[in-house]
Amino acid sequence: MFGSDSSKNGLIDVSEELARKNFSRRRFLQFGSAGAATLTFAPLLSFFSEYGEAQIDPGVLEESIRSTCALCVNKCGLIARVHDGVVHKLDPIPDHPKSRGMLCARGNSGIKVLYDPNRLKSPLIRTGPRGAGQWRQASWEEALDHIAKNLLEIRQKHGPEGVMFSSTEGFQEHFFLSFAEAWGSPNVVRHPTLCLASMINGTFNTFGSVPEFDFANSRYVIMAGANRFESLVTPDSVDLMRNLDGRTKIVVLDPRFTITASKAHEWLPVKPGTDLAFALAMLHVIIGEGRQDQEFIDRYTVGFEELADHVKQYSPEWAQSECGIDAKRIRKIAREFADAAPRVVFYPGRRSSWTTNDTQFRRAIAIVNAVVGAWDRPGASVPKAKISIGEPDIFPPDDIEVARCDALMEDFPLANKKDGTYLGVRDQILQEKDNHIRAWMIYKQNPLHSVPESRKTLEMMNKLDFIVTIDTMPSDTAWMSDVILPESVYLERTDPPHSISGAVPLVAVRQQVVKPRFDTKPCLDIMKSLAERVDLGEYFDYTVDDWFDAAASTLPVSVEELKRKGFYTDRELPEIGNTLKDGFRFRTKTGKIELRSQRYADAGYDPLPVYRPQTPLPNGKYRLLTGRTAIYTHSSLQNVSWLADEDPDGPNVWIHPDAASRHGVRDGDTIGLRTDYGEAQAPVKITNRIRPDSVFVPHGFGHTSPGLHERSRRGARSSDLIGTFQDEITGNAAMHETAVEIFPVPGGHHEEHIPVSTRRVGR
Amino acid sequence: MAPRYIMVIDNRKCVRCKACVIACRAENDVPDGYSRNWIAETDVRGQFPNLGLSFEPGQCMQCANPHCVRVCPVGATDRDEDGVIRVDADTCIGCRYCMQACPYDARYPHPTKGIADKCDFCTDRIRAGREPACVETCPSRARVFGDINDPQSEVSRLLAEHRTSRRKVEAGTEPQVYYIDE
């Protein structure tokens, strides 16, 4: 497969290699058009312009390799067009069940990620004070020996639990977690408590599963805060976008007039943190007016009588006083929604880390869907299926008997034990309730950005003896580490096949498209080599090929077919209605859809969602909101020039014109932002697309790492401002509880401010 | 009948995700800081909370009566039989007359090739029977490409089913990109 690249040592930088060839581009194009009109010769990559004129041998045909994108969580299907060891273009796989034949701006910019000049190129060992940026390049042997020595010393003194492991999802994360398990540390903390933990908990404890959505057939969709046209989730975003010809009514609740709101039939600028009042009032109207699907309720649910009693108190008039949405409008929407059922979705959201009562809000959304019978029917929420695939036989590690450091089961008995809670772990370390944890292994995550209150994260890091970060870019977190290990980027790796659940489930394949440009390795190779050094090699007695063989052995396709197609699925359309058949048992305590949750009651939580007002804003302060755009993924990809060039919003903090005039700031000024947790500065965008009481700080800007390009350092780092609040049930970080002050700063007014040059529609 | 290519763009479906713009950069080796296609946007309309905001993807309109072709002093740019206006890179002297003549500002001066570059509906791709990169990658299918001479094509169907508009028709260019307005 990689024959065209076989003459090269994988360590040579192909761009430099090609730059040494001295042909002109024009001659190549001439040949292409005159000599071989039917062959597709890929144009040259623009990165050549950074390295000089280059030329591709026109005798070598383009090769197409199918793989899976890794630039966000979605796993979209891509076809890499490779020419002589250089990736020219990433095309979408047309019939891919997850991405539906598209790639977004990020997916299309993947070649710029591969050829990013700021990538980590070899292992680095810190030589000066932490964070001072004094590094020396090391061989893998040396770096891994160094890590093994430090980890073993800590294990001797503090036990295996002395090492904490943090990671985020990805096809290689399994190997990092396998190492943590074999090592014997219970102190693993993953990303869900910075993201969707509350949505999963609230939805799961109602339906016994977390569904997908048959948007293609939906007639009415309510989105509360979920910005699905800027924060893309496949297939949700894609399916809903394709309905934007008027056939689906969309209602958006959001303190900002997002692009999703701009495409909706109604935008309701809800007061931040009060969306639960709206959902409860909807239930009040639907049940009060007898618009529920009683047949569905009787057959599939428990707790309706209690629910009906419970929501009597939540009238639309009451909700209006809480959330600011007109009572008449709430009534109208509730009626329309019930009338359009079951082809309706009250969307549960993805990142649901907003308020301390978030899980109850997600529960309320699930309950609204349930009472109108919008479950497992066309146009409604539909359960996901999963294709089970084989795995290699692996020597299982012993059970870990040491308790987690974050007292998770005491504080959050219903939280996911394996994922932990980020804020909980940090508190334990900072309060020195647990002096065992001395080292931190971090994979594919950037806690200095993703975890609120960065000053505390930094303080925690300063308490630790040893920090290792595995990443592809010199992130802020990597910069504060003692050893950095460079992982190969997704186009350079073959990952084990992954089964991805969905209404149409799939097995996704990520395979190597080009050899690594630098001295980097996939996570598996890294963990395997480290395991050997700490006497745990037997737990990694397999290769990626073994994973492919094991998966294919349980599928009706061969490894070759899997790789050729880039994915496998067992159906073209969702199978809808299975959970409504006689005898189906929902995975809840009662086996039914739980309008009233016995599990919550047993754990001491409200079994029906109870509204609790958010802490009022102190005078003169604003509610800090954060979120993203379709251009970047969390705190990654800000370094990509193509994306930064095409980002119309940039690092700008949004404030309403009333706030601007109150503080005497003008569009484009640099302003100061202050919370009880930190300070930052950022350029400001004055816009009536936000409520007057809110300030929007986009996530992912204000990187501090000097290893990144200047463009990554623009703006404010949202984690410098957001405080430590947790959802009561899951421990999910509540990121919209913080109050922020804004103020002009000396020298912040820029006379020569040039707004982002965006083309205006001219008719 | 020989194909004649046009594009129909459904502005209702554009969410300004920029996938089309980045795909074009990669496909056509567009240098940093320049672009062959774009997504234009309106100013925010109305008063809080009754607001409006619309987007409009665009690129060379592949005019049936192209000013750029008429003004080119060396015959470097021409409208081919398939309706696509192409620039012959070897003939183009980079004088930029075409850039001045284009009412859509659809061309840019390529900094190293020395030509007035623009969208050609991804010639290599359409000759291989594929869609232009911007069309193929568009998540919402706001951009639709096809043969107006084929009554079965998606573009013919859209033109038949929808009221469409074109941009700056008063310039007499007869643009071949049609819009379904929001």
Side-chain angles (χ1 to χ4, degrees):
Chain A
M1 180 166 287
F2 303 105
S4 61
D5 201 27
S6 61
S7 61
K8 289 195 189 70
N9 176 331
L11 305 183
I12 291 176
D13 179 343
V14 279
S15 56
E16 288 163 17
E17 170 97 334
L18 283 161
R20 283 198 290 274
K21 301 183 181 175
N22 193 23
F23 296 94
S24 84
R25 175 186 169 84
R26 184 162 290 187
R27 273 182 52 210
F28 165 62
L29 288 179
Q30 237 173 337
F31 178 92
S33 57
T38 55
L39 297 175
T40 306
F41 285 99
L44 291 163
L45 276 178
S46 57
F47 74 84
F48 289 149
S49 56
E50 291 165 23
Y51 296 96
E53 196 78 359
Q55 155 73 1
I56 283 170
D57 175 3
V60 183
L61 280 174
E62 188 174 276
E63 194 179 12
S64 290
I65 302 166
R66 291 185 169 211
S67 190
T68 301
C69 187
L71 299 180
C72 76
V73 303
N74 281 321
K75 326 289 185 238
C76 298
L78 66 85
I79 305 172
R81 285 157 47 197
V82 185
H83 202 120
D84 202 18
V86 179
V87 190
H88 292 274
K89 174 76 172 60
L90 303 172
D91 287 337
I93 295 180
D95 53 348
H96 197 273
K98 190 90 162 74
S99 45
R100 312 277 208 247
M102 74 93 202
L103 284 179
C104 72
R106 294 165 294 169
N108 272 291
S109 76
I111 49 182
K112 277 285 186 183
V113 172
L114 173 64
Y115 299 112
D116 192 316
N118 296 123
R119 273 183 61 183
L120 292 166
K121 300 177 183 74
S122 74
L124 296 171
I125 296 176
R126 178 171 68 79
T127 55
R130 212 181 253 170
Q134 288 155 330
W135 303 98
R136 72 184 161 80
Q137 286 197 355
S139 67
W140 280 96
E141 295 285 310
E142 187 190 358
L144 291 166
D145 285 347
H146 179 65
I147 295 168
K149 180 173 156 281
N150 278 276
L151 294 186
L152 289 170
E153 275 175 21
I154 286 162
R155 183 159 77 181
Q156 196 151 30
K157 284 190 211 148
H158 304 279
E161 65 270 34
V163 183
M164 174 164 71
F165 294 84
S166 294
S167 59
T168 192
E169 67 79 38
F171 288 177
Q172 297 258 350
E173 189 201 15
H174 176 81
F175 305 123
F176 182 80
L177 296 174
S178 296
F179 182 90
E181 195 184 356
W183 176 260
S185 175
N187 294 319
V188 173
V189 64
R190 298 181 64 249
H191 61 96
T193 53
L194 304 169
C195 184
L196 43 58
S198 31
M199 183 277 284
I200 289 180
N201 199 299
T203 309
F204 188 87
N205 283 304
T206 310
F207 291 115
S209 70
V210 176
E212 209 163 272
F213 312 95
D214 185 29
F215 280 140
N217 296 302
S218 299
R219 291 294 165 265
Y220 206 103
V221 174
I222 302 175
M223 295 246 159
N227 187 9
R228 218 49 336 131
F229 297 154
E230 290 183 271
S231 180
L232 304 178
V233 171
T234 58
D236 307 11
S237 297
V238 182
D239 290 353
L240 197 58
M241 272 178 210
R242 289 178 184 175
N243 277 11
L244 285 176
D245 51 10
R247 74 186 121 135
T248 307
K249 175 157 181 175
I250 302 175
V251 174
V252 168
L253 283 74
D254 201 307
R256 284 193 304 139
F257 187 66
T258 58
I259 289 179
T260 310
S262 81
K263 292 289 169 186
H265 295 75
E266 296 191 40
W267 171 48
L268 309 175
V270 62
K271 188 176 163 196
T274 66
D275 307 58
L276 176 56
F278 173 87
L280 291 168
M282 271 189 80
L283 287 167
H284 175 98
V285 175
I286 292 169
I287 298 172
E289 298 182 358
R291 292 171 190 271
Q292 72 276 16
D293 184 339
Q294 197 62 48
E295 205 184 316
F296 182 92
I297 290 168
D298 292 345
R299 186 161 171 200
Y300 301 109
T301 74
V302 292
F304 179 70
E305 294 310 317
E306 292 96 323
L307 173 70
D309 273 351
H310 175 71
V311 297
K312 275 183 188 151
Q313 58 187 312
Y314 297 124
S315 70
E317 286 69 24
W318 161 82
Q320 176 177 342
S321 68
E322 286 298 321
C323 71
I325 301 168
D326 184 67
K328 283 200 233 48
R329 216 151 171 197
I330 298 174
R331 275 209 171 78
K332 180 176 80 87
I333 290 166
R335 288 168 186 159
E336 287 174 354
F337 189 81
D339 291 351
R343 292 179 181 271
V344 298
V345 173
F346 193 148
Y347 189 79
R350 174 96 180 186
R351 176 179 75 84
S352 44
S353 56
W354 301 352
T355 71
T356 54
N357 198 25
D358 227 312
T359 302
Q360 292 290 10
F361 172 45
R362 310 300 155 178
R363 271 266 299 151
I365 290 176
I367 293 169
V368 173
N369 286 315
V371 297
V372 298
W375 173 263
D376 207 3
R377 287 169 162 171
S381 301
V382 292
K384 296 179 182 181
K386 191 164 189 178
I387 299 166
S388 77
I389 55 172
E391 292 184 1
D393 288 328
I394 292 167
F395 184 60
D398 296 336
D399 288 345
I400 296 168
E401 277 162 19
V402 194
R404 290 189 60 94
C405 80
D406 51 355
L408 192 68
M409 290 305 108
E410 287 163 39
D411 297 345
F412 302 102
L414 300 186
N416 187 318
K417 196 174 162 190
K418 286 199 162 171
D419 295 341
T421 64
Y422 249 103
L423 299 175
V425 169
R426 192 178 65 190
D427 268 4
Q428 292 292 322
I429 296 172
L430 288 181
Q431 292 164 19
E432 303 196 348
K433 287 182 192 161
D434 193 313
N435 288 315
H436 289 302
I437 297 181
R438 305 306 323 158
W440 196 8
M441 297 280 292
I442 303 163
Y443 171 60
K444 199 176 177 274
Q445 201 167 39
N446 191 3
L448 279 170
H449 273 259
S450 53
V451 184
E453 217 172 337
S454 61
R455 65 176 182 182
K456 281 192 179 172
T457 308
L458 208 51
E459 199 186 323
M460 174 181 80
M461 292 173 92
N462 287 333
K463 281 180 179 280
L464 300 176
D465 299 335
F466 191 60
I467 302 171
V468 178
T469 297
I470 304 167
D471 207 328
T472 60
M473 296 292 288
S475 69
D476 291 1
T477 304
W479 202 258
M480 291 304 299
S481 305
D482 302 308
V483 182
I484 308 177
L485 299 178
E487 194 183 23
S488 306
V489 301
Y490 69 114
L491 296 168
E492 300 169 325
R493 308 192 305 254
T494 299
D495 293 350
H498 248 73
S499 176
I500 297 173
S501 61
V504 175
L506 70 150
V507 176
V509 171
R510 182 172 297 132
Q511 57 183 321
Q512 192 183 51
V513 164
V514 287
K515 292 190 172 170
R517 294 181 62 217
F518 305 113
D519 190 9
T520 62
K521 290 178 191 294
C523 185
L524 170 58
D525 295 18
I526 297 172
M527 298 330 293
K528 198 174 189 165
S529 309
L530 188 58
E532 282 158 8
R533 286 169 166 79
V534 294
D535 202 20
L536 298 170
E538 69 268 31
Y539 299 106
F540 287 87
D541 185 21
Y542 50 75
T543 65
V544 165
D545 287 342
D546 295 337
W547 285 79
F548 268 93
D549 290 340
S553 74
T554 53
L555 296 173
V557 290
S558 65
V559 171
E560 291 67 36
E561 277 172 277
L562 256 183
K563 288 186 171 176
R564 193 165 58 241
K565 199 171 180 201
F567 69 93
Y568 166 79
T569 184
D570 58 1
R571 68 198 78 181
E572 276 178 26
L573 294 169
E575 288 173 11
I576 294 178
N578 284 335
T579 67
L580 304 183
K581 288 178 184 160
D582 282 341
F584 181 84
R585 194 182 189 287
F586 289 86
R587 286 173 64 202
T588 57
K589 223 166 182 172
T590 57
K592 299 223 170 195
I593 297 171
E594 296 196 350
L595 304 178
R596 180 184 184 279
S597 169
Q598 188 57 44
R599 193 157 176 248
Y600 278 19
D602 294 347
Y605 302 124
D606 296 323
L608 290 160
V610 173
Y611 184 78
R612 248 167 287 148
Q614 216 175 1
T615 317
L617 276 174
N619 267 348
K621 292 194 180 183
Y622 302 84
R623 190 68 68 190
L624 189 156
L625 309 173
T626 188
R628 4 171 331 225
T629 69
I631 299 283
Y632 307 115
T633 300
H634 310 311
S635 64
S636 71
L637 305 182
Q638 286 78 19
N639 215 58
V640 177
S641 62
W642 283 357
L643 296 176
D645 278 1
E646 286 299 334
D647 172 16
D649 293 319
N652 295 313
V653 165
W654 294 21
I655 63 171
H656 188 273
D658 292 355
S661 57
R662 191 173 307 130
H663 300 285
V665 296
R666 285 185 263 182
D667 203 40
D669 283 1
T670 298
I671 61 161
L673 300 141
R674 188 187 300 121
T675 67
D676 291 345
Y677 318 98
E679 273 190 43
Q681 293 192 358
V684 72
K685 162 176 165 159
I686 298 170
T687 175
N688 57 1
R689 291 174 62 192
I690 187 165
R691 282 174 61 96
D693 61 0
S694 302
V695 166
F696 173 68
V697 180
H699 180 62
F701 290 94
H703 294 255
T704 57
S705 166
L708 296 168
H709 189 274
E710 184 82 15
R711 67 178 79 88
S712 294
R713 290 198 284 278
R714 299 172 302 149
R717 191 163 72 176
S718 59
S719 59
D720 292 352
L721 296 164
I722 300 173
T724 303
F725 301 90
Q726 281 184 286
D727 171 61
E728 288 168 14
I729 296 179
T730 59
N732 203 5
M735 300 198 198
H736 291 178
E737 294 277 2
T738 302
V740 61
E741 288 172 72
I742 56 175
F743 50 92
V745 293
H749 180 60
H750 309 302
E751 284 301 340
E752 288 170 20
H753 167 63
I754 304 162
V756 179
S757 67
T758 309
R759 274 194 196 237
R760 293 285 149 192
V761 172
R763 312 224 167 217
Chain B
M1 202 188 287
R4 190 163 67 74
Y5 295 118
I6 67 158
M7 201 178 275
V8 179
I9 296 177
D10 190 343
N11 281 350
R12 299 172 301 174
K13 293 185 176 177
C14 177
V15 299
R16 200 196 65 185
C17 73
K18 300 289 183 101
C20 54
V21 181
I22 305 291
C24 177
R25 281 188 175 207
E27 181 70 45
N28 296 299
D29 188 25
V30 178
D32 279 17
Y34 299 94
S35 191
R36 281 185 172 197
N37 62 359
W38 59 82
I39 298 174
E41 58 186 274
T42 61
D43 289 328
V44 181
R45 301 183 295 273
Q47 294 295 315
F48 184 95
N50 300 306
L51 303 178
L53 176 64
S54 308
F55 307 114
E56 181 167 298
Q59 71 285 309
C60 169
M61 302 282 162
Q62 314 294 354
C63 304
N65 184 26
H67 297 348
C68 58
V69 170
R70 206 157 32 248
V71 300
C72 180
V74 292
T77 192
D78 213 346
R79 183 161 182 261
D80 291 336
E81 240 180 50
D82 60 2
V84 180
I85 295 163
R86 299 191 172 87
V87 185
D88 179 12
D90 290 323
T91 314
C92 178
I93 55 172
C95 72
R96 307 188 186 190
Y97 281 12
C98 54
M99 289 175 56
Q100 295 296 319
C102 176
Y104 308 101
D105 194 16
R107 293 180 179 243
Y108 72 92
H110 195 292
T112 55
K113 291 198 242 167
I115 63 164
D117 192 35
K118 70 165 195 72
C119 164
D120 61 356
F121 279 170
C122 289
T123 292
D124 286 350
R125 293 175 64 106
I126 62 176
R127 285 188 178 157
R130 302 187 61 191
E131 293 179 317
C134 60
V135 172
E136 181 187 63
T137 209
C138 177
S140 65
R141 298 193 181 130
R143 290 171 175 270
V144 182
F145 166 83
D147 175 11
I148 197 174
N149 286 341
D150 172 7
Q152 306 301 318
S153 68
E154 173 85 354
V155 289
S156 296
R157 189 185 64 75
L158 287 170
L159 288 183
E161 287 176 6
H162 294 273
R163 181 201 296 255
T164 55
S165 63
R166 295 181 290 168
R167 300 295 166 252
K168 297 183 179 168
V169 283
E170 66 279 9
T173 47
E174 293 177 41
Q176 295 303 302
V177 174
Y178 297 77
Y179 289 95
I180 299 170
D181 291 309
E182 183 143 39

